[in-house]
């Protein structure tokens, strides 16, 4: 009987862990993104996303997003309220008509995006709220994911 209770308790514990893990985050270990096929960018960071509107980068970025970000920021970047909506980042940029304003708006959103993704974020108690990807992502990976998000943002703006 004792043994039976112990096993049942263990099984319940596992179920709880599995369920809470899936609900809270899913798999949130940073995964490298395979950017084969994209023009290499080297070590020096570009001022703003060199891959914007690049179809191959958008495709690679969508895979990178799915593996690394979707668990918290939502499938197809449709936020479920657990983490900020990433389609807001360049929302104002995509509808700008002046090319200069548009470029500078995207540059600001690129800068901000790059900083948060590489360094992550911590709350006031020092607990990590947003993981940092600086140790696993190349420059190519960061910009490919941003290209995907900007494409999604532009598509949303068109459909509204
Ligand atoms: C474990 C959950 C989790 C994962 C995985 C995650 N994020 Fe986040 N992210 C958050 C949370 C929570 C915040 C808000 C953090 C805060 O403000 O303290 C955030 C904030 C951000 C912000 C700032 C948004 C804003 O409006 O200020 C960006 C950009 C971002 N994440 C991009 C990404 C990208 C890109 C990925 C995948 C490479 C990713 N995140 C993976 C949880 C996550």
């Amino acid at each position: 009987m004792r043994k039976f209770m112990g096993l049942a308790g263990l099984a319940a514990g596992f179920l709880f862990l599995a369920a809470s893990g899936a609900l809270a985050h899913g798999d949130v270990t940073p995964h490298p993104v395979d950017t084969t096929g994209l023009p290499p960018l080297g070590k020096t960071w570009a001022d703003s996303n060199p891959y914007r509107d690049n179809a191959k980068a958008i495709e690679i970025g969508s895979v990178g997003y799915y593996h690394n970000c979707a668990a918290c920021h939502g499938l197809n970047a449709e936020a479920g309220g657990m983490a900020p909506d990433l389609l807001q980042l360049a929302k104002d940029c995509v509808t700008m008509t002046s090319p200069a304003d548009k470029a500078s708006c995207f540059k600001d959103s690129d800068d901000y995006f790059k900083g948060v993704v590489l360094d992550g974020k911590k709350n006031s108690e020092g607990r990590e709220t947003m993981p940092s990807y600086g140790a696993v992502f190349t420059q190519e990976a960061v910009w490919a994911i941003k290209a995907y998000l900007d494409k999604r943002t532009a598509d949303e703006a068109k459909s509204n």
Side-chain angles (χ1 to χ4, degrees):
M1 186 61 190
R2 221 189 159 84
K3 188 170 171 206
F4 174 74
M5 290 296 285
L7 278 179
L10 204 65
F14 267 124
L15 272 179
F16 174 75
L17 270 181
S20 60
L23 286 175
H25 307 303
D27 178 7
V28 293
T29 314
H31 294 288
V33 179
D34 179 2
T35 56
T36 310
L38 291 179
L41 301 173
K43 292 251 177 278
T44 311
W45 281 86
D47 264 358
S48 64
N49 191 352
Y51 295 153
R52 197 162 2 256
D53 300 326
N54 175 322
K56 181 79 186 164
I58 291 167
E59 184 193 319
I60 287 175
S62 78
V63 177
Y65 177 88
Y66 178 80
H67 288 308
N68 286 287
C69 325
C72 295
H73 289 282
L75 278 180
N76 300 319
E78 273 150 21
M82 195 140 56
D85 177 1
L86 299 183
L87 300 183
Q88 299 299 316
L89 290 173
K91 189 166 182 256
D92 297 336
C93 314
V94 295
T95 52
M96 284 182 175
T97 45
S98 145
D101 290 349
K102 194 170 186 159
S104 119
C105 180
F106 270 127
K107 182 183 176 307
D108 288 348
S109 97
D110 290 345
D111 268 350
Y112 178 69
F113 178 83
K114 180 187 99 180
V116 174
V117 174
L118 294 181
D119 300 338
K121 277 192 159 207
K122 292 197 164 95
N123 66 12
S124 53
E125 286 116 49
R127 192 178 63 83
E128 189 178 74
T129 50
M130 156 75 199
S132 68
Y133 292 83
V136 273
F137 276 11
T138 57
Q139 172 169 203
E140 286 82 354
V142 170
W143 294 138
I145 293 176
K146 182 65 162 60
Y148 161 70
L149 289 170
D150 287 349
K151 172 74 165 72
R152 287 280 299 112
T153 306
D155 287 350
E156 289 292 314
K158 266 183 233 152
S159 69
N160 284 332

